[in-house]
Amino acid sequence: MPGLFLGSQYKKIMRMTMRSVMRKISVGLAKESKRYLSSAMTRGPNTWKDNQSSQILLSPPLVSLDIPEIWASDSNYYDHPSSWKNSNAQIATIIDGKSIAEEIRSRVASEVKRMKEYVGQVPGLAVILVGQRRDSQTYVRNKIKACEEAGIKSVLVELPNSCAEYDVMTSVLNFNEDPSIHGILVQLPLPEHLDEEKILSVLSLEKDVDGFHPLNMGNLAMRGREPLFIPCTPKGCIELLIRSGVEIMGKKAVVVGRSNIVGLPISLLLQRYHATVSIVHACTKNPEQITREADIVVTAAGVPNLIRSNWLKPGAVVIDVGTCPIEDPSAEYGYGLVGDVCFEEALRVASAVTPVPGGVGPMTIAMLLCNTLDSAKRLHGFS
Amino acid sequence: MPGLFLGSQYKKIMRMTMRSVMRKISVGLAKESKRYLSSAMTRGPNTWKDNQSSQILLSPPLVSLDIPEIWASDSNYYDHPSSWKNSNAQIATIIDGKSIAEEIRSRVASEVKRMKEYVGQVPGLAVILVGQRRDSQTYVRNKIKACEEAGIKSVLVELPNSCAEYDVMTSVLNFNEDPSIHGILVQLPLPEHLDEEKILSVLSLEKDVDGFHPLNMGNLAMRGREPLFIPCTPKGCIELLIRSGVEIMGKKAVVVGRSNIVGLPISLLLQRYHATVSIVHACTKNPEQITREADIVVTAAGVPNLIRSNWLKPGAVVIDVGTCPIEDPSAEYGYGLVGDVCFEEALRVASAVTPVPGGVGPMTIAMLLCNTLDSAKRLHGFS
């Protein structure tokens, strides 16, 4: 990813990273965790390609990030606001989620090939789509296509909008028993008459590649524990930050939105990476004031253009998870997607920003492939 | 609780509450949720006694708090900093956790009596204590005593520090099967050689009155879901806030500390009550700056005197969960407890503050009794 960071910005981030790491050492962080943290979180954007092992992502196991809670007696250290200046020129780097996702998908494809050679089987993903929401149809189509390209077997079950809970649950239960299926995905949202909680509760935990089960969520939240699967979109956001050389530990992060499937898990995940996290939601007073304090903004409100330039601190890193479908007769399927962030304004204030489309979206799909591959590896004892 | 709020402060809070509620109505909150919210969260400190039903706590079911995420287009409303002035005089009300807990315990005792009459059985709590930590011994002694006073049956198993995981797990499994036991509590922390996660994982979810199971934590975190048990200390903090007439919705709350048993669940719980939550921890830069923005500060760092007056916004409500044992030859058992908050300083800045001891501690025990009673009611189908 050459050119992802302007030279001086990158140096500055690395300098701040090193300073922060040295500080942490001085207050006595556990050696083991520090090793993981410094290797995972201060690695520059270009070094990950050097890793020739079967490891695809840079994100380490969550428990390896756990460090003892040691409060420094001197809490007055402070990085003064950076020298970023607001101007009319674009100063932000555009984080190219599409190309990062492609790299990951090509590594997944290699691993799938290796698994086929050694185990004689490929990972399998089952997708259950209920109803005819256009956006859901597009997401599912893209997921199936990505599976095909990576050599992952995919099975799609399409059920009518009018189907009963029983029908969806029967599909899920069949896939639970199917040894060729390692991941099951029920495309959300479901039609209103179906009880999402009830349906997801029968999904085998070992195949819950979306990571939406409350047990998974609890393990994501709790220090010392590791969820079987990290939800795809939050996992993709973290991978984007790490691969863009953004330090997370000790940074102020604001998550805009608190949905069960994005806002909540991303806030829990950022905290496992030792960011200082604030969650802004529809009941928050003066949300722009809180968001303006953040070094990292992850927004998943689903409100087009919610995040204007006055919501952003100069130099902030902005990850836009919002995907709001809007009519666009010129687009292939008659509609396009817009994010939460006023992209043109963010370009003039932030240091890095993800576009919509082409930012988080492709990463979500890449992470789904990773989770399906991991699940297959785990179920076959292959590493 | 006469005198819990100075008259003018109380009127101010009620005025702000009403203003906020009116705003929420105008952006279209769901009627059902609003009904719960307004009844549970804007109720004055003296009205709860009027409730003559079997309901003991004011905290409503969590799912009843869930409201649609509607982002107001005008986000510029803002309550200007209050007119609190810092001075040398005490302006804060001391939140009397001890007397609130006593009220709750006496209502639990009535319910236990009623249950005995109708079901012929009382709730039963099993406590497993490993090793000889003085603070753990005190906590356990207090819990057993509180059970006795409320008419709840209690069974204490004391195991030596050197015991094996197998011994603890056998105790837990026996209580899982015992129909006279409705709550099982393994006093934490366990000696280092024991795997806490492994031991707690065998504890029956229906008897996990501490609420520390990751499935419980996931259900606490996720909107639309209800955990079987809310962990006792966070539940006690919320009850203190509600009974003190403190509005939570829309307020800035800072949780200091992120332990699995206090910091994490209290942050999740405050969010279910629609506070804007930030979590400050040992890796946070300039924690006092973030905490100083908060309307509600809940601190559970375990660092005596961490929270000085410059950490607090004038008029903030401060809940001190910190309990650090310190040597005190004059005390009954040779030591006393101090909190995270510099109490004398907080009294001059905050609007309300909990003391240590006598604040959150007694509430934790009261909530344990509530959880045990609820569990027994659920298991016997008694309401």
Side-chain angles (χ1 to χ4, degrees), chain B residues 204-208 211 215-216 219-220 226-230 235 371 374-375 378:
Chain B
S204 162
L205 267 174
E206 283 72 28
K207 299 187 178 184
D208 175 31
L215 184 62
N216 244 322
N219 283 324
L220 179 65
E226 191 78 39
L228 276 179
F229 300 99
I230 297 174
K235 188 172 178 172
N371 278 356
D374 286 349
S375 177
R378 183 157 48 217

Side-chain angles (χ1 to χ4, degrees), chain A residues 34 37 67 73 112 126 154 161 176 185 198 273 295 297 322 351 366:
Chain A
K34 191 171 63 58
L37 279 169
I67 50 175
S73 55
V112 168
S154 64
N161 198 70
N176 279 351
L185 188 156
K198 197 169 156 193
Y273 278 81
D295 304 300
V297 176
S351 66

Side-chain angles (χ1 to χ4, degrees), chain B residues 362-383:
Chain B
M363 288 299 284
T364 298
I365 292 180
M367 294 303 121
L368 176 65
L369 302 185
C370 286
N371 278 356
T372 306
L373 171 64
D374 286 349
S375 177
K377 282 183 169 181
R378 183 157 48 217
L379 290 169
H380 290 284
F382 175 69
S383 60

Side-chain angles (χ1 to χ4, degrees), chain B residues 12-259:
Chain B
K12 181 170 187 300
I13 285 169
M14 287 304 286
R15 207 165 50 234
M16 285 163 64
T17 301
M18 286 313 295
R19 210 187 309 151
S20 171
V21 166
M22 292 312 290
R23 256 188 221 125
K24 300 301 162 196
I25 293 169
S26 71
V27 295
L29 293 184
K31 279 186 185 164
E32 187 61 8
S33 299
K34 193 170 61 61
R35 189 172 62 78
Y36 271 110
L37 280 169
S38 58
S39 68
M41 300 171 73
T42 66
R43 193 179 287 145
N46 293 317
T47 56
W48 72 274
K49 284 185 194 160
D50 306 338
N51 186 346
Q52 294 303 319
S53 79
S54 67
Q55 186 193 330
I56 295 172
L57 304 182
L58 294 189
S59 339
L62 293 185
V63 286
S64 72
L65 298 171
D66 293 344
I67 49 175
E69 234 15 34
I70 300 168
W71 293 76
S73 55
D74 167 25
S75 60
N76 286 322
Y77 50 78
Y78 178 58
D79 281 325
H80 287 281
S82 68
S83 56
W84 295 94
K85 289 272 181 277
N86 198 342
S87 77
N88 284 327
Q90 173 183 337
I91 56 167
T93 305
I94 297 171
I95 298 178
D96 187 353
K98 200 171 162 208
S99 84
I100 296 175
E102 269 165 20
E103 297 249 19
I104 292 171
R105 282 165 59 170
S106 107
R107 295 197 63 155
V108 169
S110 309
E111 280 296 289
V112 168
K113 207 171 152 202
R114 194 170 69 88
M115 185 175 161
K116 194 175 178 182
E117 282 164 20
Y118 283 86
V119 183
Q121 220 182 333
V122 295
L125 175 72
V127 181
I128 299 169
L129 172 64
V130 184
Q132 307 214 299
R133 279 179 67 117
R134 280 197 311 178
D135 53 346
S136 291
Q137 285 175 326
T138 307
Y139 296 143
V140 166
R141 197 166 40 233
N142 291 341
K143 288 168 186 175
I144 300 281
K145 190 163 161 260
C147 281
E148 279 168 12
E149 285 173 16
I152 291 176
K153 168 188 160 176
S154 65
V155 182
L156 171 63
V157 171
E158 288 184 273
L159 295 169
N161 198 69
S162 58
C163 74
E165 248 159 48
Y166 173 83
D167 303 317
V168 192
M169 288 166 80
T170 303
S171 267
V172 171
L173 291 169
N174 286 340
F175 288 128
N176 279 351
E177 298 303 316
D178 185 341
S180 75
I181 295 298
H182 309 93
I184 305 169
L185 185 156
V186 179
Q187 183 66 38
L188 302 180
L190 290 168
E192 285 214 344
H193 70 284
L194 299 176
D195 184 339
E196 185 183 304
E197 181 175 342
K198 197 168 155 193
I199 290 167
L200 293 183
S201 72
V202 299
L203 203 159
S204 162
L205 267 174
E206 283 72 28
K207 299 187 178 184
D208 175 31
V209 283
D210 258 342
F212 294 158
H213 193 285
L215 184 62
N216 244 322
M217 207 64 82
N219 283 324
L220 179 65
M222 294 171 80
R223 286 154 70 86
R225 291 180 180 261
E226 191 78 39
L228 276 179
F229 300 99
I230 297 174
C232 302
T233 303
K235 188 172 178 172
C237 294
I238 292 288
E239 194 66 21
L240 281 181
L241 290 172
I242 293 178
R243 288 182 188 239
S244 303
V246 176
E247 189 193 17
I248 305 174
M249 183 173 175
K251 293 294 174 192
K252 273 193 192 173
V254 166
V255 177
V256 183
R258 52 171 173 168
S259 68

Side-chain angles (χ1 to χ4, degrees), chain A residues 35-339:
Chain A
R35 187 173 62 79
Y36 273 110
L37 279 169
S38 57
S39 69
M41 300 173 73
T42 67
R43 194 180 286 145
N46 294 316
T47 57
W48 71 275
K49 285 185 193 160
D50 305 339
N51 186 346
Q52 293 304 319
S53 77
S54 65
Q55 186 192 331
I56 295 172
L57 305 182
L58 294 189
S59 338
L62 293 184
V63 285
S64 71
L65 299 171
D66 293 344
I67 50 175
E69 237 11 36
I70 300 168
W71 294 75
S73 55
D74 167 25
S75 60
N76 286 322
Y77 50 77
Y78 178 58
D79 281 324
H80 287 282
S82 67
S83 55
W84 295 95
K85 291 271 181 277
N86 198 342
S87 77
N88 284 326
Q90 171 183 338
I91 57 166
T93 305
I94 297 172
I95 298 178
D96 186 352
K98 200 170 164 212
S99 85
I100 296 177
E102 269 166 19
E103 296 249 19
I104 292 171
R105 283 164 60 170
S106 108
R107 295 199 64 154
V108 169
S110 308
E111 279 296 289
V112 168
K113 209 171 151 203
R114 195 170 70 86
M115 186 177 160
K116 194 176 179 182
E117 281 166 19
Y118 284 86
V119 183
Q121 221 182 331
V122 296
L125 175 72
V127 180
I128 299 169
L129 172 64
V130 184
Q132 306 213 297
R133 279 180 66 117
R134 279 197 312 176
D135 53 345
S136 291
Q137 286 175 325
T138 307
Y139 296 143
V140 166
R141 196 165 41 231
N142 291 341
K143 287 168 185 173
I144 300 282
K145 189 162 162 261
C147 280
E148 279 168 11
E149 284 172 15
I152 292 176
K153 169 189 160 176
S154 64
V155 183
L156 171 63
V157 171
E158 288 183 273
L159 295 169
N161 198 70
S162 59
C163 75
E165 247 159 46
Y166 174 83
D167 302 318
V168 192
M169 287 167 81
T170 303
S171 267
V172 171
L173 290 168
N174 286 341
F175 288 129
N176 279 351
E177 299 302 317
D178 185 340
S180 75
I181 293 298
H182 309 94
I184 306 169
L185 188 156
V186 180
Q187 184 67 39
L188 302 180
L190 289 168
E192 284 212 346
H193 70 284
L194 299 176
D195 184 339
E196 185 183 304
E197 182 175 340
K198 197 169 156 193
I199 290 168
L200 293 183
S201 71
V202 299
L203 202 158
S204 162
L205 268 175
E206 283 71 28
K207 299 187 178 184
D208 175 31
V209 283
D210 258 343
F212 294 158
H213 193 283
L215 184 62
N216 245 323
M217 207 64 83
N219 283 325
L220 179 66
M222 293 171 82
R223 287 154 68 85
R225 291 182 181 259
E226 191 78 40
L228 277 178
F229 299 100
I230 298 174
C232 302
T233 302
K235 188 172 178 172
C237 294
I238 292 288
E239 194 66 20
L240 280 181
L241 290 172
I242 293 178
R243 287 182 188 240
S244 303
V246 177
E247 190 192 18
I248 305 173
M249 182 174 176
K251 295 292 175 193
K252 273 192 193 174
V254 166
V255 177
V256 183
R258 52 172 174 168
S259 67
N260 285 345
I261 61 176
V262 185
L264 172 67
I266 187 72
S267 67
L268 298 173
L269 198 47
L270 284 165
Q271 201 181 138
R272 290 293 292 266
Y273 278 81
H274 310 294
T276 298
V277 181
S278 303
I279 301 110
V280 159
H281 48 79
C283 301
T284 299
K285 290 176 193 162
N286 255 31
E288 69 281 14
Q289 196 189 42
I290 296 169
T291 309
R292 203 160 50 225
E293 299 284 317
D295 304 300
I296 298 167
V297 176
V298 182
T299 172
V303 181
N305 286 326
L306 180 70
I307 313 294
R308 306 293 302 266
S309 60
N310 66 331
W311 286 56
L312 299 174
K313 178 165 100 170
V317 175
V318 182
I319 307 290
D320 188 355
V321 186
T323 45
C324 208
I326 50 156
E327 297 269 338
D328 179 0
S330 69
E332 189 180 358
Y333 297 102
Y335 74 98
L337 293 177
V338 290

